[in-house]
Amino acid sequence: MSKLLVISGASRGIGKSTAQLFQASGYKVINLSRSPANLEGVLDVSADLSEPRWINHVRDELSNRLEGIDEIALVHNAGVLVKDKVGELPQEQLRRVLEVNVVASSMLNDLLIPRMPSGSSIIYLGSTLSEKAVPGTASYVTSKHAVVGLMRSTCQDLAGTGIHTACICPGFTDTEMLRDNIGDDPEVLEAIAGMQTYNRLVEPEEIAQAIFSVSQQPVFNGAVLHTNLGQVEN
Ligand SMILES: NC(=O)c1ccc[n+]([C@@H]2O[C@H](COP(=O)([O-])OP(=O)(O)OC[C@H]3O[C@@H](n4cnc5c(N)ncnc54)[C@H](OP(=O)(O)O)[C@@H]3O)[C@@H](O)[C@H]2O)c1
């Protein structure tokens, strides 16, 4: 049986761990991002998902790789997080975040769903901020709420196709995105770690495991799963 993972944003972080795990489990892997994953055997297709016409540059290359594939796992992982707030939210910034975090996933869906055999899966990366907001991340919060809507619509619109979907919502995971956002101050890192009941950050490999498990089990169809080690409520 020939299995294929198509994933966005596997050049680092959660995406890279996910690509490695699927590859170790027998999947061919195609990554879409601006910089390559540089993993042996992984096909890197260069794409800037913030550019509205990126799909035109990858359509042929992706389509040619789908021949003879029995199962496709499509993982919408690429994401961008910027600091901004309601009332001072530059339109261009909001559009760019929505392009990468939401619109690109929909474009990939349109390209791939008609070619996805029964037994395939579409996994979205949401966030704790898919279901709550914190100050100063308005465009990201907006986009991650939209991801849940897109996943739920995927579940409804693909009923009967044998393709299942779910949204994995990581908590504080130790990647470049988190480090860029909170910096390297040990005291801040310790405080963030203390917000989990395990008193540590989530490892990208743990999120990859969750993505893989959910992709294998249609019973999760339509589910929003929080993978955050249990966040401490004050
Ligand atoms: N880390 C966390 O704490 C956390 C928490 C909740 C949710 N998440 C979600 O988990 C997913 C992965 O996050 P991460 O922490 O692994 O982030 P990361 O380390 O910053 O990696 C982000 C990935 O997205 C790709 N990407 C960003 N902008 C892109 C663009 N314009 N075009 C194409 N690819 C682009 C990057 O590739 P290039 O730069 O090479 O293009 C990179 O591979 C994201 O959806 C994020 O929102 C993360």
Side-chain angles (χ1 to χ4, degrees):
M1 174 151 163
S2 184
K3 299 184 287 187
L4 173 69
L5 169 71
V6 179
I7 182 167
S8 61
S11 61
R12 57 178 185 268
I14 291 168
K16 190 163 191 169
S17 294
T18 304
Q20 288 172 304
L21 179 58
F22 274 79
Q23 193 179 34
S25 307
Y27 283 71
K28 296 175 185 169
V29 178
I30 300 176
N31 165 48
L32 294 154
S33 54
R34 293 166 299 184
S35 47
N38 282 332
L39 293 170
E40 204 182 329
V42 169
L43 177 68
D44 285 305
V45 176
S46 177
D48 182 346
L49 306 182
S50 67
E51 294 292 334
R53 279 175 292 281
W54 65 270
I55 197 87
N56 297 335
H57 306 301
V58 308
R59 183 175 281 114
D60 288 348
E61 180 147 27
L62 277 185
S63 301
N64 291 338
R65 308 271 167 179
L66 305 180
E67 294 300 326
I69 299 292
D70 302 304
E71 183 213 314
I72 298 174
L74 172 57
V75 177
H76 297 303
N77 166 77
V80 59
L81 165 62
V82 287
K83 293 183 180 172
D84 46 30
K85 61 192 277 194
V86 171
E88 303 167 16
L89 187 48
Q91 279 182 36
E92 275 318 306
Q93 184 157 302
L94 177 60
R95 285 207 174 91
R96 191 172 61 84
V97 171
L98 290 172
E99 286 286 351
V100 177
N101 293 5
V102 186
V103 180
S105 305
S106 175
M107 291 165 85
L108 258 186
N109 285 345
D110 289 353
L111 178 64
L112 294 186
I113 286 170
R115 312 280 299 276
M116 290 175 82
S118 176
S120 296
S121 57
I122 303 176
I123 309 301
Y124 295 84
L125 269 291
S127 165
T128 307
L129 300 180
S130 286
E131 296 193 314
K132 65 179 260 191
V134 293
T137 49
S139 59
Y140 185 78
V141 167
T142 304
S143 72
K144 288 299 180 180
H145 277 62
V147 166
V148 172
L150 187 56
M151 184 280 292
R152 289 189 169 132
S153 295
T154 305
C155 175
Q156 295 304 312
D157 289 339
L158 299 193
T161 63
I163 301 169
H164 74 277
T165 186
C167 183
I168 302 289
C169 295
F172 293 107
T173 307
D174 197 359
T175 67
E176 218 169 291
M177 178 181 281
L178 183 76
R179 298 277 173 167
D180 284 352
N181 193 36
I182 65 173
D184 280 328
D185 181 340
E187 278 183 25
V188 177
L189 276 172
E190 201 180 314
I192 299 279
M195 292 164 74
Q196 278 63 242
T197 63
Y198 278 64
N199 198 29
R200 66 170 175 82
L201 300 177
V202 181
E203 294 299 331
E205 293 79 12
E206 293 179 287
I207 305 299
Q209 280 288 351
I211 294 168
F212 182 76
S213 299
V214 168
S215 76
Q216 305 301 301
Q217 301 181 62
V219 74
F220 286 113
N221 198 19
V224 177
L225 292 116
H226 287 276
T227 48
N228 58 23
L229 289 171
Q231 291 188 338
V232 176
E233 304 287 348
N234 292 307

